[in-house]
Amino acid sequence: MATIRKIYDLAAAILFSSQGTDADFDKYAPLFLERLLMEALPYENMIRAQRGEPCLQIAPEVTAIDETEIDWDDRITRSALPHGLVSCFMADEADKKAEMVMEYNKFVQALEEAAPALTEVAE
């Protein structure tokens, strides 16, 4: 289980040599992270279903970079979400389009690797 702050710190480590070097990162990180959690929700629910745990109806709301815990699988919170957050910030930089695509692909790949392949036979 990771905190919102941990996810933010992991993403910042990919993007910057030191924290606090980009005011937009601090300002928009909660909004981007909330969007990424919605995108990752089906993968988290696949993991929960395989464990026999109840699925979530909605992703957590993120209003600030704080110590709020995201009680999701660590492969999503510590691996996928930081890469997704990095890709969001690279989207507006024309000279970083290739890196943005690579980071987004890492996000999706980490989600796919974290969630077991579930196949259901229709009856």
Side-chain angles (χ1 to χ4, degrees):
M1 175 175 359
T3 64
I4 293 170
R5 165 76 53 201
K6 182 66 173 180
I7 297 165
Y8 171 89
D9 289 345
L10 290 167
I14 296 168
L15 269 177
F16 309 115
S17 57
S18 62
Q19 289 182 347
T21 57
D22 189 325
D24 284 342
F25 189 71
D26 297 339
K27 181 178 178 181
Y28 294 108
L31 299 170
F32 287 146
L33 186 54
E34 189 167 322
R35 191 193 89 212
L36 292 166
L37 284 164
M38 285 301 297
E39 194 170 338
L41 182 63
Y43 295 91
E44 174 64 21
N45 280 337
M46 281 192 268
I47 294 167
R48 287 172 180 257
Q50 183 164 38
R51 292 180 184 160
E53 298 172 2
C55 291
L56 302 172
Q57 297 301 312
I58 190 163
E61 184 176 327
V62 179
T63 57
I65 301 301
D66 58 18
E67 296 302 319
T68 301
E69 292 184 343
I70 304 294
D71 189 17
W72 286 23
D73 189 278
D74 278 345
R75 294 168 294 180
I76 292 177
T77 59
R78 294 175 186 255
S79 182
L81 291 173
H83 287 291
L85 195 51
V86 168
S87 74
C88 290
F89 283 100
M90 290 181 167
D92 286 341
E93 298 182 37
D95 63 332
K96 297 210 177 213
K97 291 292 184 191
E99 287 103 333
M100 183 271 300
V101 170
M102 288 173 42
E103 288 299 325
Y104 186 78
N105 287 345
K106 288 178 185 179
F107 166 67
V108 172
Q109 181 178 0
L111 289 175
E112 290 174 352
E113 289 175 358
L118 296 179
T119 56
E120 296 182 33
V121 177
E123 295 184 31

